[in-house]
Amino acid sequence: MVKCSFAHMDCSVARALDSIGEWWTMLILRDLMVFGGHRRFEQLRDGLGISRNILTERLRGLVDSGIVIKVPIAEGARRQEYRLTEKGWDLMPIMVALSQWGDKWRPDPQNADLRFQDQRNHETIPPVAVMSTDGRLLTAADIEIVPLKEEMQRFLTS
Amino acid sequence: MVKCSFAHMDCSVARALDSIGEWWTMLILRDLMVFGGHRRFEQLRDGLGISRNILTERLRGLVDSGIVIKVPIAEGARRQEYRLTEKGWDLMPIMVALSQWGDKWRPDPQNADLRFQDQRNHETIPPVAVMSTDGRLLTAADIEIVPLKEEMQRFLTS
């Protein structure tokens, strides 16, 4: 099955999905985040249990998208590791939200889930939510979706 | 390429991805959310420009996962539409976060993005973020990840 690109679609959701690549990639990013943002090839492969070829291809996509960089594990070292960039770390709220959704709607019967905790007080992190600028919790009914073009049009003609 | 299932993996991220299905599915969910949570088959097909067969298959997956239900468009009507369930609406923060990430890191040169606004004051919705129980913005460095099993172990032996 040919993976089609969403890059042409007029929507930032489509472009975000296109940059991330595909589902497996989210699990690579999850492993990077869980281990502090950096991981060697073999560690990722062993953790995920996927083939060398597939992991190589996915990591290349992530490097091309600027989500991950490949750098020496220490100054002057020959061994290299993959590190999340700022763009990659910016996916963290999406990862936490996916994990919370999975916990809520499809809990593991063996209770082997990960829990995200606040380092300061060890409390479970509340569900990632859409908030207003003044801190109200927003539901779908509170949100309006405006194409930027239309908004610009209004601005130009007002 | 055979799509492998993540359902067996010990992680709520993997189970969330497995429930959602694959990338195209996020675009179906996006269209449902943008149009108030319900949409007819032909409307989804025309909006997304995908084949009847693929859309049928994706929608069946979403119905099986309980993310979407198929219901008459009105009481007693023969025509049916697809509607987001509570489980489906619960993916909204992920959708908004994906859209914001796309806007930030891969803006559309034609500026045709969607903007999410607060209905009350028409302000742009701030980035979806991970917050602490007392309202602090959390970065990756503030978060610890604990396997629930381990936590339960500590509880039982303390």
Side-chain angles (χ1 to χ4, degrees), chain A residues 15 21-23 90 104-106 113 115 117-119 122-123 133 136 142 144 146 148 151, chain B residues 15 21-23 90 99 104-106 113 115 117-119 122-123 133 136 142 144 146 148 151:
Chain A
R15 271 174 286 111
E22 54 96 90
W23 277 153
D90 240 17
K104 177 173 174 184
W105 290 104
R106 203 166 151 183
D113 284 325
R115 171 173 292 176
Q117 290 185 176
D118 186 345
Q119 281 215 320
H122 309 293
E123 282 179 25
T133 46
R136 278 171 295 119
D142 304 313
E144 55 186 12
V146 184
L148 281 186
E151 199 187 36
Chain B
R15 272 174 285 111
E22 55 96 89
W23 277 152
D90 240 17
S99 173
K104 177 172 175 185
W105 290 105
R106 203 165 152 184
D113 283 325
R115 171 173 292 178
Q117 289 184 177
D118 186 345
Q119 281 215 318
H122 309 294
E123 283 180 23
T133 46
R136 278 171 295 120
D142 304 314
E144 56 187 13
V146 184
L148 281 186
E151 200 188 36

Side-chain angles (χ1 to χ4, degrees), chain B residues 150-158:
Chain B
E150 191 181 301
E151 200 188 36
M152 190 159 285
Q153 204 64 38
R154 270 210 303 276
F155 174 78
L156 291 171
T157 54
S158 65

Side-chain angles (χ1 to χ4, degrees), chain A residues 95-114:
Chain A
M95 195 63 67
V96 175
L98 273 172
S99 173
Q100 292 171 329
W101 188 89
D103 278 343
K104 177 173 174 184
W105 290 104
R106 203 166 151 183
D108 183 356
Q110 262 101 59
N111 204 20
D113 284 325
L114 297 173

